[in-house]
Amino acid sequence: MAILDILTLPDPALKQVSEAVTEFDDALRAFIADLEETRRNGPAAVGIAAPQVGYFKRVVIIDCSTTRKPVPNHGYLVLVNPEITHWEGYEPGREGCLSVPDYTGNVIRATRIHLVARDPNGEPLEFDMEGYEARAVQHEIDHLDGLLFVDRVVSRRTDLFKRKVYQKGGGS
Ligand code: NI
C-alpha cells in the first residue's frame, strides 16, 4: 500500500470530471487500499475522492463512524459510481476538505438522500442517508464532478473561514 499525494487548490486537475468505473478488478481494489491509507494519514478525513489523488474515476470513501459527536451513519463505505437518486430538504453546514487545507466554509446541502452505488466487486449498494453522512457523500460526489465546497459557498466573503490549524482527527 502507499500514501498518495493529495492535489490542493488551485490545481486545475481538481476541476476535471471523473469517469465511471467499468472494470471491477484487482487494480481497482489495490487503488482503493491506497486511497483509504491516504484518507487515514495525517488529519484523518471523513471522506476522500479518487480525483483528489489524481485518479479520475468515480470512487469515493466515507466513514462517519468516528466523528467527535456521534451522527447517524453506515460506517466505512467504499462507493464506486455513486449516484444520488433522491434529495430532501436543505440546510447549511460547515465543511472542510483535504484539497482546501487553509479554509472551511458554510455550504447548503440536502438533509436526506437516497444513494445507489457499487462496491469494489461491482455488487450493487443502496442507502438512505441523513445529516452529516448525507453531507459527506454530497461533498465527495462533487469532487467526481470537478467541484469543491468553495465553489458552492453563497458568499466567499462571509461563508469562508481561514483555518488556524488543520486539526488531527477533525474536519471532513
Ligand atoms: Ni473534499
Side-chain angles (χ1 to χ4, degrees):
M1 293 206 295
I3 292 168
L4 307 169
D5 288 336
I6 293 176
L7 307 181
T8 56
L9 207 64
D11 193 318
L14 289 165
K15 293 188 185 299
Q16 191 167 324
V17 177
S18 294
E19 294 178 352
V21 171
T22 53
E23 304 285 327
F24 293 83
D25 55 11
D26 287 346
L28 174 69
R29 289 181 284 273
F31 167 74
I32 288 168
D34 288 346
L35 187 65
E36 172 61 1
E37 194 178 6
T38 305
R39 183 184 72 85
R40 288 169 170 271
N41 183 49
V46 162
I48 193 168
Q52 290 183 274
V53 297
Y55 184 92
F56 298 98
K57 297 280 185 174
R58 301 187 80 85
V59 177
V60 310
I61 298 174
I62 64 161
D63 186 352
C64 295
S65 68
T66 60
T67 54
R68 263 174 284 184
K69 204 171 80 179
V71 295
N73 71 88
H74 295 84
Y76 168 75
L77 295 179
V78 178
L79 303 169
V80 181
N81 300 341
E83 266 183 69
I84 297 170
T85 58
H86 183 76
W87 291 259
E88 262 180 61
Y90 55 88
E91 67 182 355
R94 190 70 72 92
E95 297 185 14
C97 181
L98 294 171
S99 295
V100 190
D102 296 336
Y103 290 89
T104 62
N106 284 334
V107 184
I108 293 168
R109 302 280 190 191
T111 51
R112 289 174 181 275
I113 60 171
H114 187 76
L115 178 80
V116 296
R118 299 275 166 175
D119 77 4
N121 298 308
E123 298 299 321
L125 299 171
E126 205 168 338
F127 301 99
D128 288 307
M129 293 180 170
E130 62 180 290
Y132 190 74
E133 186 180 49
R135 172 175 296 278
V137 166
Q138 291 169 80
H139 175 116
E140 299 310 332
I141 291 177
D142 268 359
H143 279 298
L144 305 182
D145 294 323
L147 287 170
L148 298 173
F149 77 82
V150 294
D151 300 316
R152 290 216 184 257
V153 296
V154 174
S155 159
R156 292 198 174 205
R157 188 171 58 82
T158 59
D159 294 332
L160 280 184
F161 307 92
K162 188 107 176 103
R163 276 189 199 271
K164 291 190 181 72
V165 183
Y166 202 129
Q167 290 181 333
K168 279 199 176 251
S172 55

